[in-house]
C-alpha cells in the first residue's frame, strides 16, 4: 500500500492553513551522507519531505508559498540524463512525480532551475513575482546534534545570507502537529510494518538455538522481513543475549548466545516509510527457567497494565510514572529491592514514544493523547546481577475510548512462546 495523492494534497493544505501570510516554505529531500572514498550511506528521505510529497528521492526540493489565502506549490526534481540512466537507472520523470504527489505537471521543474525561479518569482517584488516579497522563510529546523546548525540551513545558506530581511521560522513546529496524529492509511501502513516484523520474529523464534551468534539471529530477521515484502529495517536491530540485554541500545550483535539465557530482540520493519518498533524477549533454547518466567511475567503484567491505561486525555508522563510504580511494586514483591526509590537501578528509560515515519516520531509530549496517536509501550527490567534483561514492546493506537494494540498477534505469553518454539 502507498499513501494516495489525495491524502498528500490534504496534508499540504493543512500545512498551508497553519502557515502565516506572505510566507515561503522550503523542504529539502536531503541526500545520502558520505561514508568513505567513493562510498555513500544508504539514502533515507527527509521524512517531512516524504510526508508532504510521497516521494523518497535525493536532492529534490518542495516549495510552498502563501500570500493571504492564495497558495502555490512547486516541486523541483533532478533531470533525467542518459549518463544517469546508464549508471544508476532511470530517474523519476516529471509526470511520475506529479502522479505520486498530486502536484500538477506544470508546477514541477528541475532543481537546476531553482535558483533562478526563486530569485525571479519569489524573492523579489518585481512584476514577475508571484506574491511580492515574502516576509517569512520556514525551514525544517531539526538539529541532529545539540547546538548544531539545522541541515536545511546549510541547503538554504544562499537565501539566508542574501535575504537577511526574511524572518526564519521553524516548519517542524507546524508539521510535527500534523504528523503526531495518524490517518487511517498511516495506521494501516504501521500495521503492515508490524506484520512484516511478526514474520521476522517468528522466524527467529523458530530457528533460535543455544550457541548461535546474535548476528545470525539478526540476519534471519532482516532476511525474513524482506522476504515478507518490507523495504528494510526501521532502525539498527538489537539482538542481545543474556547479560548484554541490560544495555538498552546494544547494537554490537556479535556474541554467541549462551544456553539457558534469554535473548532480547528489539527490532522493526518498514512499510512505505512507516515503522514498527517491537521488542520480544525469549529463551534461546525455547524454555523459560522458573526464575526467568517469574521476572518475565512481572514485565508482561506491566506491559498489559500500561496498555490498559491508554486513552484520550492521558499524558505520556502519567504513563511513565504509572509504569515505574508498577515495576517498583513488582521488584519489591520479588525481594529485588527494599525501597521503591531503587527501581531506577533496574529500569531506566521511558515507557512510550510516538511511532510513525520516524521510529521515535515527532510531536510534543506536553499535550494529552488523542485518537490517532500511535505510541509504543515498552516496560523492561534489567538485572545485571542475574545476567537478565527483559523488555516487552508493543505498538498501540489511541482510539475514542481506549487503545488498540496493533501488535497483539505477536506472541508474548510464556506458554505461547514455549509451544511455538517447541521442536
Ligand atoms: N528501538 C528503540 C526503542 O525501542 O525505542
Ligand atoms: Mn524498540
Ligand atoms: Mn521503542
Amino acid at each position: 500500500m502507498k499513501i494516495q495523492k489525495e491524502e498528500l494534497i490534504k496534508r499540504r493544505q493543512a500545512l498551508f492553513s497553519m502557515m502565516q501570510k506572505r510566507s515561503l516554505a522550503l523542504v529539502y529531500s536531503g541526500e545520502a551522507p558520505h561514508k568513505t572514498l567513493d562510498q555513500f550511506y544508504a539514502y533515507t528521505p527527509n521524512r517531512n519531505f516524504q510526508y508532504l510529497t510521497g516521494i523518497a528521492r535525493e536532492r529534490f526540493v518542495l516549495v510552498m508559498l502563501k500570500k493571504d489565502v492564495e497558495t502555490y506549490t512547486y516541486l523541483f526534481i533532478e533531470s533525467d540524463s542518459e549518463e544517469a540512466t546508464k549508471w544508476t537507472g532511470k530517474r523519476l520523470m516529471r509526470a511520475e512525480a506529479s502522479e505520486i504527489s498530486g502536484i500538477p505537471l506544470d508546477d514541477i521543474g528541475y532543481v537546476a532551475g531553482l535558483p533562478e525561479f526563486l530569485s525571479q518569482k519569489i524573492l523579489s517584488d518585481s512584476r514577475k513575482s508571484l506574491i511580492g516579497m515574502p516576509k517569512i522563510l520556514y525551514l525544517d529546523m531539526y538539529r541532529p546534534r545539540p547546538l548544531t546548525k539545522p541541515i536545511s540551513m546549510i541547503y538554504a545558506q544562499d537565501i539566508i545570507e542574501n535575504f537577511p530581511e526574511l524572518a526564519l521560522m521553524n516548519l517542524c513546529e507546524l508539521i510535527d502537529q500534523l504528523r503526531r496524529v495518524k490517518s487511517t492509511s498511516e495506521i494501516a501502513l504501521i500495521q503492515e510494518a508490524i506484520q512484516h516484523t511478526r514474520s521476522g520474529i517468528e522466524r527467529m523464534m523458530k530457528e533460535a538455538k543455544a550457541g548461535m551468534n546474535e548476528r545470525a539471529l539478526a540476519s534471519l530477521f532482516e532476511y525474513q522481513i524482506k522476504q515478507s515484502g518490507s523495504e528494510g529495517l526501521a532502525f539498527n536491530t538489537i539482538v542481545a543475549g543474556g547479560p548484554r540485554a541490560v544495555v538498552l541500545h546494544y547494537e554490537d550483535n556479535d556474541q554467541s548466545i549462551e544456553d539457558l539465557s534469554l535473548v532480547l530482540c528489539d527490532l522493526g520493519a518498514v512499510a512505505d516509510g512507516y515503522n514498527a518498533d517491537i521488542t520480544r524477549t525469549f529463551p534461546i533454547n525455547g524454555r523459560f527457567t522458573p526464575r526467568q518466567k517469574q521476572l518475565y511475567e512481572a514485565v508482561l503484567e506491566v506491559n498489559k497494565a500500561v496498555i490498559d491505561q491508554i486513552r484520550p486525555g492521558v499524558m505520556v508522563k502519567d504513563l511513565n510514572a504509572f509504569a515505574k510504580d508498577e515495576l517498583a511494586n513488582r521488584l519489591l514483591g520479588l525481594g529485588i529491592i527494599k525501597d521503591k526509590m531503587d527501581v531506577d537501578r533496574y529500569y531506566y528509560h521511558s515507557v512510550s514514544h510516538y511511532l510513525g515515519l520516524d521510529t521515535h516520531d515527532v510531536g510534543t509530549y506536553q499535550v494529552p493523547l488523542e485518537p490517532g496517536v500511535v505510541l509504543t509501550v515498552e516496560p523492561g527490567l534489567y538485572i545485571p546481577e542475574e545476567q537478565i534483561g527483559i523488555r516487552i514492546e508493543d505498538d498501540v493506537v489511541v482510539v475514542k475510548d481506549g487503545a488498540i494494540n496493533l501488535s497483539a498477534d505477536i506472541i508474548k505469553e510464556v506458554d505461547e512462546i514455549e509451544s511455538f518454539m517447541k521442536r
Side-chain angles (χ1 to χ4, degrees):
M1 202 195 97
K2 293 220 173 287
I3 298 289
Q4 300 296 301
K5 63 182 169 200
E6 291 73 18
E7 181 164 344
L8 299 167
I9 292 168
K10 270 200 211 133
R11 290 174 181 182
R12 294 192 295 267
Q13 281 168 346
L15 183 61
F16 269 135
S17 73
M18 299 163 96
M19 283 167 61
Q20 296 201 22
K21 291 174 184 170
R22 295 190 59 187
S23 66
L24 163 69
L26 295 176
V27 191
Y28 300 88
S29 71
E31 56 194 335
H34 181 231
K35 191 175 184 182
T36 175
L37 209 61
D38 60 350
Q39 293 290 303
F40 288 80
Y41 288 101
Y43 169 65
T44 302
N46 168 2
R47 301 302 189 189
N48 287 338
F49 179 88
Q50 188 178 19
Y51 181 79
L52 294 169
T53 63
I55 294 173
R57 292 285 181 137
E58 291 180 85
R59 293 178 284 274
F60 286 15
V61 187
L62 175 70
V63 177
M64 293 174 70
L65 182 68
K66 175 170 173 177
K67 193 178 181 185
D68 292 314
V69 284
E70 225 172 304
T71 63
Y72 304 82
T73 304
Y74 301 96
L75 180 64
F76 290 82
I77 72 172
E78 282 202 308
S79 61
D80 199 20
S81 72
E82 273 185 37
E83 176 83 355
T85 305
K86 279 185 185 148
W87 283 84
T88 50
K90 209 155 180 52
R91 290 200 174 140
L92 200 69
M93 307 303 276
R94 284 174 56 244
E96 293 167 305
S98 171
E99 187 48 41
I100 298 170
S101 65
I103 297 171
L105 187 59
D106 286 349
D107 298 331
I108 299 185
Y110 294 118
V111 271
L114 179 60
E116 192 184 328
F117 177 86
L118 285 175
S119 62
Q120 296 203 350
K121 298 270 200 180
I122 298 184
L123 298 170
S124 90
D125 205 355
S126 72
R127 276 161 296 168
K128 283 187 184 164
S129 80
L130 290 163
I131 68 159
M133 185 69 193
K135 291 189 171 308
I136 292 164
L137 171 60
Y138 283 104
L139 293 177
D140 177 329
M141 293 295 192
Y142 179 76
R143 288 171 183 83
R145 290 198 178 84
L147 298 178
T148 56
K149 196 186 270 189
I151 291 165
S152 62
M153 284 186 73
I154 300 167
Y155 285 116
Q157 198 168 336
D158 275 358
I159 303 172
I160 295 166
E161 279 176 14
N162 295 317
F163 296 88
E165 67 271 39
L166 277 175
L168 270 184
M169 291 192 83
N170 188 1
L171 190 69
C172 300
E173 279 175 17
L174 311 183
I175 212 167
D176 290 1
Q177 293 175 49
L178 300 175
R179 283 179 52 188
R180 181 172 166 272
V181 180
K182 273 70 183 174
S183 68
T184 312
S185 40
E186 289 183 289
I187 293 165
L189 282 168
I190 294 172
Q191 218 148 11
E192 207 176 299
I194 291 170
Q195 283 315 309
H196 296 313
T197 307
R198 178 177 66 86
S199 137
I201 290 175
E202 289 179 354
R203 181 78 186 259
M204 292 167 87
M205 284 181 175
K206 275 283 177 229
E207 302 205 17
K209 272 197 286 297
M212 209 167 171
N213 197 286
E214 290 160 346
R215 66 177 158 249
L217 264 189
S219 307
L220 266 179
F221 176 77
E222 187 167 351
Y223 173 80
Q224 183 60 38
I225 61 166
K226 287 182 175 168
Q227 181 82 357
S228 153
S230 167
E231 63 237 46
L233 298 171
F235 51 89
N236 293 338
T237 294
I238 297 167
V239 175
R244 295 168 300 282
V246 305
V247 179
L248 297 181
H249 283 176
Y250 172 83
E251 291 175 2
D252 295 346
N253 301 345
D254 62 355
Q255 301 295 306
S256 72
I257 305 165
E258 305 82 352
D259 196 10
L260 303 174
S261 66
L262 292 178
V263 55
L264 182 158
C265 304
D266 185 345
L267 24 76
V270 181
D272 196 29
Y274 286 83
N275 297 312
D277 181 9
I278 301 290
T279 308
R280 288 294 182 263
T281 307
F282 56 86
I284 189 67
N285 66 11
R287 298 225 20 116
F288 287 85
T289 65
R291 178 60 167 173
Q292 287 167 349
K293 180 172 167 177
Q294 202 173 34
L295 295 169
Y296 184 90
E297 297 280 13
V299 178
L300 185 58
E301 280 167 22
V302 178
N303 163 283
K304 293 176 188 170
V306 175
I307 294 174
D308 280 346
Q309 293 292 309
I310 299 176
R311 60 181 57 83
V314 169
M315 302 286 288
V316 168
K317 71 170 162 29
D318 299 335
L319 297 178
N320 272 327
F322 176 81
K324 196 166 162 176
D325 191 60
E326 290 287 315
L327 287 166
N329 286 338
R330 283 165 180 78
L331 286 171
L332 277 178
L334 288 162
I336 296 174
I337 57 173
K338 305 247 162 342
D339 181 341
K340 258 181 137 168
M341 302 288 282
D342 290 336
V343 59
D344 292 333
R345 279 170 42 201
Y346 301 108
Y347 170 65
Y348 31 85
H349 57 82
S350 301
V351 78
S352 292
H353 56 81
Y354 301 139
L355 177 71
L357 282 171
D358 280 291
T359 299
H360 293 168
D361 209 25
V362 295
T364 177
Y365 288 93
Q366 307 309 319
V367 297
L369 294 177
E370 57 192 294
V373 172
V374 175
L375 71 167
T376 64
V377 175
E378 47 182 307
L381 284 178
Y382 311 94
I383 308 176
E385 302 88 286
E386 303 195 37
Q387 312 215 322
I388 284 181
I390 298 165
R391 180 161 63 251
I392 305 171
E393 177 174 24
D394 283 304
D395 302 336
V396 311
V397 58
V398 182
V399 293
K400 204 162 65 158
D401 50 3
I404 295 172
N405 182 358
L406 300 172
S407 47
D409 64 356
I410 306 184
I411 55 172
K412 60 180 176 182
E413 299 295 333
V414 165
D415 53 354
E416 281 174 341
I417 293 175
E418 288 189 340
S419 68
F420 187 82
M421 291 181 75
K422 204 174 235 159
R423 48 185 78 97

